[in-house]
Amino acid sequence: MADLVDADSPRLRGESVEHIELLLTSHAELPPILVHRQTMRVIDGMHRLRVAALRGQRDIAVRFFDGPDADAFILAVSTNVSHGLPLSLSDRTAAAERIVTHSPQLSDRSIASSTGLSPKTVAAIRRRTNPDHPQLNARVGRDGRVRPIDSGDGRRHAARIMRANPDASLRAVAKAAGISLGTAHDVRERLREGQDPVPAHRRAPRAGAGSANQEAACLRAGVCPHVSPPPYPDRDTALRNLRQDPSMRFSGTGRMLLRLLTAQALDNENWAKLIDHVPPHRADAIAALALDFARSWQEFAERLQRRVTRV
């Protein structure tokens, strides 16, 4: 323990004496702390480290993280948002300000997922924190992929590929155009319906175009029913990112959620096999259960989205 360096903590008020005393009176085995291997700086677990010292321990269980200092700080924020003593709103806001300053290449959604803030809040923090900072043409998303801030060019490129080669797979198109699989799917559906591959709210506004200004206003108000949701990374990528997130892997609830999500990550072929092997006399009962579970997942998703929106 003597080799460990105190955390670069996102907590503005430092450690909580009350939380240390609470952990000290607990007889439960505390999880390992998270340490940045290159610097031996504690990323997550300063309260547990203080408890170990007060108990007279010379050793403590550790999990190591290898990566840049900036990534270590982001990890410190994300782990403390999801478990233990939660970060306050002011802690998370200050952390977001630091991240947009030192890692401006990260997307608003990526920073939002790490800080527990909404993407709109992060965007406002970015404008307030770096008003004179040169604007980047692309940012790194939650899945680690670099995407242009204006996805219009990527969508138009994907549309050209699809028109020239209608049999091209979505994965091939997405890779060639530099867009997500979900965006490629949306482009294909829009082409099939005879629509512009770039939704109206993503097109660059033309000078003097009143309709564009009206659409921007309705988007800000959140009352545009025709607007599609933001691009969603393909299922495999989303699950892989979740499995690599320490805030999910290192908590019991996170691991339980990962098991539930993984169990349902079946492709169309496997779903078809399940359907084919359901005994006919049990089809109604299984269908009723599936619908019931689907409603539960729907409620879970809606409550989760409302929680994010309130932040």
Side-chain angles (χ1 to χ4, degrees):
M1 291 193 344
D3 295 330
L4 297 176
V5 179
D6 284 359
D8 180 12
S9 177
R11 300 183 189 278
L12 299 177
R13 297 185 178 181
E15 298 152 29
S16 166
V17 175
E18 293 80 5
H19 192 61
I20 293 174
E21 292 176 347
L22 179 64
L23 294 178
L24 194 59
T25 58
S26 171
H27 297 292
E29 182 179 354
L30 299 177
I33 65 174
L34 189 60
V35 174
H36 188 215
R37 191 190 299 272
Q38 289 91 324
T39 62
M40 294 301 289
R41 186 179 296 279
V42 176
I43 295 175
D44 177 48
M46 281 303 302
H47 292 102
R48 281 166 276 164
L49 183 61
R50 298 294 185 234
V51 169
L54 290 171
R55 288 175 175 172
Q57 296 177 211
R58 294 185 177 181
D59 301 308
I60 188 170
V62 165
R63 293 184 184 275
F64 284 107
F65 167 76
D66 296 290
D69 289 344
D71 290 353
F73 178 76
I74 294 172
L75 183 56
V77 176
S78 63
T79 52
N80 281 281
V81 162
S82 59
H83 72 86
L85 182 64
L87 295 177
S88 67
L89 178 58
S90 56
D91 290 336
R92 289 179 281 136
T93 301
E97 291 174 352
R98 174 171 168 178
I99 294 171
V100 299
T101 299
H102 292 96
S103 302
Q105 76 280 6
L106 296 179
S107 70
D108 294 339
R109 290 187 177 277
S110 176
I111 297 174
S113 67
S114 298
T115 58
L117 300 171
S118 71
K120 289 183 179 180
T121 300
V122 174
I125 291 173
R126 191 189 296 272
R127 290 192 296 269
R128 182 177 72 245
T129 304
N130 294 329
D132 300 322
H133 195 280
Q135 295 299 308
L136 303 175
N137 294 323
R139 291 188 184 140
V140 181
R142 288 176 294 179
D143 58 0
R145 294 181 59 187
V146 178
R147 294 187 177 89
I149 294 176
D150 178 8
S151 63
D153 289 342
R155 282 174 168 269
R156 282 184 281 270
H157 187 192
R160 288 193 293 270
I161 295 173
M162 291 176 183
R163 291 186 181 109
N165 187 3
D167 296 328
S169 70
L170 287 178
R171 287 186 183 278
V173 172
K175 184 176 181 180
I179 59 177
S180 72
L181 191 63
T183 302
H185 180 269
D186 184 64
V187 170
R188 174 166 289 176
E189 292 302 309
R190 295 181 70 83
L191 290 179
R192 285 174 177 171
E193 296 172 4
Q195 299 180 14
D196 191 309
V198 183
H201 69 282
R202 293 187 179 277
R203 298 172 204 156
R206 295 186 299 271
S211 59
N213 295 332
Q214 292 173 0
E215 180 146 24
C218 83
L219 282 168
R220 287 193 295 270
V223 292
C224 295
H226 62 283
V227 174
S228 59
Y232 167 74
D234 65 272
R235 185 179 295 176
D236 291 342
T237 299
L239 280 172
R240 184 169 62 252
N241 292 337
L242 287 174
R243 293 190 192 105
Q244 294 173 350
D245 188 335
S247 64
M248 297 291 292
R249 292 161 46 203
F250 298 154
S251 70
T253 304
R255 288 192 294 271
M256 179 180 70
L257 184 55
L258 284 174
R259 286 194 295 270
L260 288 171
L261 292 171
T262 301
Q264 300 188 54
L266 301 179
D267 55 26
N268 291 336
E269 182 179 351
N270 282 314
W271 281 116
K273 287 181 180 178
L274 289 179
I275 294 172
D276 291 341
H277 286 81
V278 170
H281 66 286
R282 292 296 185 188
D284 287 342
I286 293 175
L289 279 172
L291 288 172
D292 191 35
F293 291 150
R295 284 190 289 268
S296 296
W297 274 112
Q298 179 71 24
E299 182 182 357
F300 172 81
E302 291 173 352
R303 291 175 63 183
L304 196 58
Q305 289 175 330
R306 286 197 296 270
R307 191 189 75 175
V308 172
T309 303
R310 285 197 303 267
V311 175

